[in-house]
Amino acid sequence: MAAAGKSSAFVVAIDGPAASGKGTIAKRLATDQQLAHLDTGLLYRGVGWAAVSANIDLSDEQALADLAANLNLAELESNKQLRGDQAAVAASKVSVLPAVRAALLQAQRRFANEPPAGFHGSVLDGRDVGTVICPDAAVKLYVTADVEVRAQRRLNELHTRGASDTTYEEVLADMKARDARDMGRATAPLKPADDALILDTTLMSIEVAYEQAVAAVKAAKEKQMAVA
């Protein structure tokens, strides 16, 4: 496996901030294009949640790196606790630690380069997939939206889940703080890859954004077949 994430497998890398729509696009692409899907954010949520559950300080880099090294990817999707706000906040804090990112790097590249049986490729969504994890991905997308729009989307999600006491101001402040941590960290900051297709969903519907993503995937597949 190449150190920079280069592989013969067909890889779609999708990055972007919270509530931008990247997860929705990633899941639909995976289903429609028959690609394996990995929400890389779940890995950091898994580490953060494990740390909180074990009362490990979220600044204890070595202890968190040890948790990351022993994370079981197969158990992540079934853990509903990882979709909660506590896990999300913990994930944002542990993800700034270089040792944690290094421990999870190879697991993500393995998934991309060696998709599970039955899949010819994979879709990974996160915050540094196209820039660090899979810089040679066949398709790179960066899905974004204005923070105010994303905060309203997240608030609507929370209210749907029954968190009616949460205010827009609280969600907006939290989202701005998470954006600052993700974009400002020294290791693998959140940013679009130089050759990524930017999908701004501030005014663009998720349906239109998805259609553009599909077009990019189809074009990349045709290019790959032409040089095969």
Side-chain angles (χ1 to χ4, degrees), residues 168-191:
Y168 170 77
E169 288 72 22
E170 291 171 334
V171 176
L172 180 62
D174 176 65
M175 194 158 283
K176 285 182 176 180
R178 288 172 62 185
D179 284 354
R181 282 195 295 269
D182 291 339
M183 297 176 183
R185 63 183 175 232
T187 302
L190 169 63
K191 63 179 181 179

Side-chain angles (χ1 to χ4, degrees), residues 185-199:
R185 63 183 175 232
T187 302
L190 169 63
K191 63 179 181 179
D194 292 339
D195 53 349
L197 170 64
I198 310 296
L199 299 175

